[in-house]
Amino acid sequence: MSPLSFDLHSAGVLAPGLSCLDDLRAACRSGQLHEAVQPAAAPSPDVLPANERRRASQVVRLTLACIEQALTSSPFEADSLRCVFATDEGTGEICQQMLHALDTSRQMSQLLFSNSVLNAPSGYFSIGYRNRQSATVISVGLESFAAGLVFAATEAWSAGQPVLLVSYDPRMTPPMDELLPITVSTASAWVISAGMGQQLPKLASFSIDVVEAGNIRPTSLPSWIPTAWTGQGSSCAFAALGLLEEQETAELRLRWNELMLHVRRKSDRG
Amino acid sequence: MTVPLAIRHPPALGVPAVTVVHPSGCDAQALWKALATNTTGLSRNELEWCDLPCWIGTVPGADVGLPNALKQWDSRAHRLVWLALQEASFRSAIDGAIGRYGAHRVGLFIGTSTSGIRSTEVAYGVRRSSGQWPPAFSYRHTHSADSLCRFAAEILRLRGPAAAITTACSSSAKVFLAAQRFIRTGLIDAAVVGGSDSLCLSTLHGFASLQLLSEDICRPFDVDRKGISIGEAAGFALLDKAPSKINLVSGGESSDAWHMSTPHPEGVGARQAMVQAITAAGLTPAEIGYVNAHGTGTPANDGSEAAALRDVFGPLGVPVSSTKGLTGHTLGAAGIVEAIVTMLALEHQTLPGSPTLASPDSTLGLDTVLQPRAERIRFAMSNNFGFGGSNCSLVFGTDGVQ
């Protein structure tokens, strides 16, 4: 089949040393990440009504802060975006708190249970931005970003609407981090569209070729991404955004199950 | 003039095979038998590991571990998958699709809400008391949402795109539309879609905390409805680009933009999903012959959905039933279970009833089907709504009626 193509219009990034897309691009250029520069703890999301803001968990704050960055330079209204949220475990501290409550008093708070669903961030996004579009949350372990990118591209093509793709991994807390060593929270948000015309402002255009993996090996993550982040799928999204600083037609290979995605930046000259 | 489903635009997708395990048995025939006789599969909670006063739906055989060769995958959610995939005719249909298209051209999309969390609930207790996780416990093989896909892919020998969709109680309805998009863009030719959710402390106590777990058996659309009864289930359907006797015609998805755990009181999001599904099918509401409602049995959900149904179809505008009185609310598996109920209704040209509905709430303005009855239906809709305000409506159809 012919590759899926999409335009990337804007993006948000959050991780230690990365407080925005410009930080990520600078890290790509210099080959270094100033990990010690912590972004402010994910801010309380102003977009939510006061009662919901108080209820927002860390992962909700993380994703909404990242989305807010992406929406700042998006050519689309926030309520027009269909959504694909891609994550691995996806709830972070909530999972541990719920298991602890069940193993001790069995008294679970309403808030804890409501926040325990994997689609809590997409739900709060919908509430905050009065977005009534479809929101799909997928989980494919370390391959969540690769799968999410294809989900977002197929959704953009099929629906003829712009799509917000959010790739994120909230930090796991003890003792769950012994099972899933996600030690820092990482996230990126992408606003993409497909076939909606050349006139819209964009960062770049990409194509995705999906082929049988066979003996093809995935691209190693760039050296500026800390080794500790290789156990979280959302790092792959940082590598993909790094294509913005690469030569035109640069390629990133991402594994998804028995498939290999060839993600290429398309030439600006078409 | 009726347009054959094969030449509609967009074309319908065939559903040549299904399989399902549910509180009334371990195949689709047992589900149809329970539907046709209007018999509930729910019983009072007698779980050894949960003492909440409520009604539940347990799958026969779910307490038995997986065969030794599959031990590393053993979780209650995977046992349900394993049981569902024992259906020989379903396996043969999958093998046929792999033969026609290749294992890389058949997708796998599985909806779940809690996946294998029951295993982690048990393991967490060991970790807290002993300081060590049980040696045999593997989070990646039992609880991780994608383990459902990796487990099912191993059994079915699928090598194509695979993902878990987890949007609470709409999860395994949305898998149909994800697969439809992948087929339309040409990435795959067929897909196995499904869902699995098992009984676990997380959801039993979680819904109890929200005061949504009924001590009485759930009674969707009843004037005395007091909340949900939780069931467990797993089910799968093969979607094929070639239409068959029963087909997925279209669907609609929306978000409420309202509240994390309470549906919009006027059902604005539910209405949007239904209208989208009907419009995408090129139909009018009058052409939908039956709606399998989400109908959980909570006062808020049933009120919200009824408002949306009245808005779309008019008061008493379409025969409606919720089959959760039969299966319980199977949460992340509700989408696939109720899609299969809807397809069985089309296949048998019979509307399912409402086994636990004694006194219909007349203020809801619904034409609720109390007892199963024969009726000619060409198109039927299945609704599923979930936490986060996630809504999904699917339209299925058959060419077998004129």
Side-chain angles (χ1 to χ4, degrees):
Chain A
M1 63 164 287
S2 56
L4 289 165
S5 298
F6 68 90
D7 293 335
L8 172 65
H9 300 282
S10 60
V13 175
L14 268 183
L18 300 173
S19 61
C20 61
L21 178 63
D22 284 346
D23 285 355
L24 183 143
R25 297 181 77 151
C28 291
R29 287 193 298 271
S30 68
Q32 288 188 323
L33 175 70
H34 298 290
E35 212 181 335
V37 183
Q38 294 286 328
S44 176
D46 292 336
V47 68
L48 291 177
N51 62 326
E52 299 290 0
R53 203 178 309 153
R54 283 193 298 275
R55 298 159 64 96
S57 65
Q58 288 299 319
V59 66
V60 170
R61 290 168 185 235
L62 171 77
T63 48
L64 289 187
C66 204
I67 290 167
E68 189 179 348
Q69 286 180 30
L71 292 180
T72 304
S73 45
S74 160
F76 306 106
E77 293 296 325
D79 64 2
S80 70
L81 299 166
R82 295 171 73 92
C83 306
V84 174
F85 284 61
T87 187
D88 186 347
E89 191 281 331
T91 70
E93 62 186 357
I94 299 292
C95 177
Q96 185 274 328
Q97 290 169 2
M98 188 167 76
L99 289 165
H100 190 81
L102 291 170
D103 194 48
T104 51
S105 64
R106 292 208 175 171
Q107 296 299 310
M108 204 190 307
S109 77
Q110 297 189 357
L111 180 59
L112 189 55
F113 184 55
S114 299
N115 275 331
S116 74
V117 292
L118 221 66
N119 61 325
S122 66
Y124 280 109
F125 164 75
S126 156
I127 293 166
Y129 289 93
R130 293 180 172 74
N131 178 303
R132 292 213 167 107
Q133 307 290 335
S134 166
T136 298
V137 183
I138 66 156
S139 179
V140 196
L142 293 176
E143 296 159 0
S144 293
F145 168 71
L149 190 61
V150 179
F151 264 71
T154 56
E155 188 130 354
W157 268 112
S158 305
Q161 281 179 259
V163 175
L164 170 68
L165 167 65
V166 190
S167 163
Y168 60 102
D169 288 301
R171 183 174 75 89
M172 299 301 291
T173 46
M176 296 303 290
D177 59 351
E178 296 163 2
L179 301 174
L180 201 57
I182 298 178
T183 54
V184 298
S185 296
T186 48
S188 66
W190 305 44
V191 175
I192 72 163
S193 73
M196 292 187 72
Q198 297 296 312
Q199 306 309 316
L200 295 164
K202 65 183 178 189
L203 293 167
S205 299
F206 293 87
S207 68
I208 314 170
D209 223 348
V210 183
V211 300
E212 293 181 35
N215 294 322
I216 308 169
R217 295 187 57 80
T219 312
S220 302
L221 288 176
S223 59
W224 63 265
I225 294 183
T227 313
W229 300 7
T230 53
Q232 44 208 89
S234 49
S235 296
C236 295
F238 295 160
L241 286 170
L243 289 174
L244 293 170
E245 290 296 322
E246 299 282 330
Q247 303 256 330
E248 282 180 4
T249 71
E251 174 186 282
L252 179 74
R253 293 181 305 280
L254 297 172
R255 192 175 186 97
W256 178 16
N257 198 19
E258 303 289 334
L259 306 170
M260 192 64 67
L261 275 55
H262 294 262
V263 184
R264 296 188 184 94
R265 189 170 149 210
K266 291 169 73 176
S267 164
D268 292 339
R269 289 177 290 278
Chain B
M1 191 182 81
T2 54
V3 181
L5 293 170
I7 58 168
R8 295 179 74 88
H9 183 78
L13 298 177
V15 190
V18 300
T19 181
V20 60
V21 295
H22 48 90
S24 294
C26 280
D27 56 29
Q29 288 75 21
L31 182 58
W32 181 249
K33 188 177 170 198
L35 289 162
T37 55
N38 217 25
T39 310
T40 184
L42 301 178
S43 56
R44 285 191 187 281
N45 175 23
E46 292 178 354
L47 291 170
E48 286 175 11
W49 41 272
C50 176
D51 57 7
L52 287 169
C54 60
W55 289 65
I56 55 171
T58 53
V59 168
D63 289 325
V64 180
L66 293 175
N68 277 337
L70 298 169
K71 264 298 185 240
Q72 63 176 344
W73 298 101
D74 194 22
S75 74
R76 196 169 173 100
H78 287 161
R79 291 176 194 174
L80 301 179
V81 168
W82 168 250
L83 288 169
L85 294 180
Q86 298 311 299
E87 175 68 61
S89 61
F90 186 75
R91 294 289 287 275
S92 142
I94 303 301
D95 291 344
I98 291 173
R100 280 194 301 284
Y101 304 125
H104 290 86
R105 300 281 302 174
V106 180
L108 176 62
F109 304 100
I110 302 184
T112 187
S113 180
T114 53
S115 184
I117 199 169
R118 179 69 199 128
S119 296
T120 310
E121 290 172 356
V122 174
Y124 190 92
V126 176
R127 169 65 181 80
R128 225 174 61 79
S129 58
S130 73
Q132 301 288 326
W133 293 96
F137 176 65
S138 165
Y139 167 85
R140 276 292 181 209
H141 284 91
T142 57
H143 180 178
S144 186
D146 63 307
S147 66
L148 277 169
C149 291
R150 300 190 198 277
F151 177 60
E154 183 173 309
I155 296 172
L156 298 174
R157 296 191 292 274
L158 295 176
R159 300 167 69 85
I165 290 184
T166 173
T167 52
C169 306
S170 64
S171 300
S172 60
K174 286 172 75 78
V175 293
F176 283 87
L177 301 180
Q180 187 186 49
R181 285 189 280 272
F182 272 67
I183 291 173
R184 278 192 192 155
T185 48
L187 279 169
I188 53 176
D189 300 301
V192 176
V193 298
S196 177
D197 250 352
S198 79
L199 291 168
C200 59
L201 289 173
S202 307
T203 52
L204 285 161
H205 282 274
F207 281 103
S209 77
L210 290 168
Q211 298 178 309
L212 296 177
L213 191 67
S214 176
E215 289 192 19
D216 183 16
I217 195 167
C218 71
R219 301 184 186 281
F221 303 125
D222 196 293
V223 72
D224 288 325
R225 66 188 183 275
K226 293 184 172 67
I228 69 171
S229 302
I230 298 180
E232 61 187 356
F236 295 92
L238 174 63
L239 292 187
D240 195 304
K241 64 181 183 182
S244 56
K245 185 178 165 195
I246 305 292
N247 301 275
L248 170 69
V249 180
S250 68
E253 297 164 281
S254 72
S255 301
D256 270 3
W258 176 253
H259 190 267
M260 266 309 295
S261 55
T262 306
H264 189 283
E266 279 91 47
V268 167
R271 176 187 184 281
Q272 188 176 320
M274 285 190 267
V275 169
Q276 245 184 49
I278 294 167
T279 307
L283 298 173
T284 64
E287 290 173 275
I288 303 291
Y290 166 69
V291 176
N292 187 282
H294 189 55
T296 61
T298 70
N301 175 83
D302 291 5
S304 159
E305 186 171 12
L309 285 163
R310 286 195 306 271
D311 213 16
V312 175
F313 295 96
L316 309 173
V318 65
V320 175
S321 63
S322 162
T323 43
K324 286 188 171 68
L326 195 144
T327 60
H329 190 348
T330 58
L331 307 176
I336 185 70
V337 169
E338 289 155 26
I340 290 172
V341 168
T342 306
M343 289 188 270
L344 288 170
L346 284 164
E347 185 185 334
H348 293 273
Q349 292 290 292
T350 299
L351 309 186
S354 316
T356 57
L357 176 52
S359 311
D361 182 349
S362 60
T363 64
L364 297 176
L366 297 181
D367 171 15
T368 36
V369 186
L370 298 178
Q371 294 293 326
R373 68 168 189 258
E375 196 142 321
R376 294 161 77 89
I377 40 171
R378 185 155 186 248
F379 298 101
M381 176 181 277
S382 182
N383 281 343
N384 289 102
F385 314 127
F387 274 18
S390 178
N391 308 303
C392 185
S393 296
L394 302 172
V395 173
F396 295 93
T398 179
D399 273 335
V401 192
Q402 295 303 320

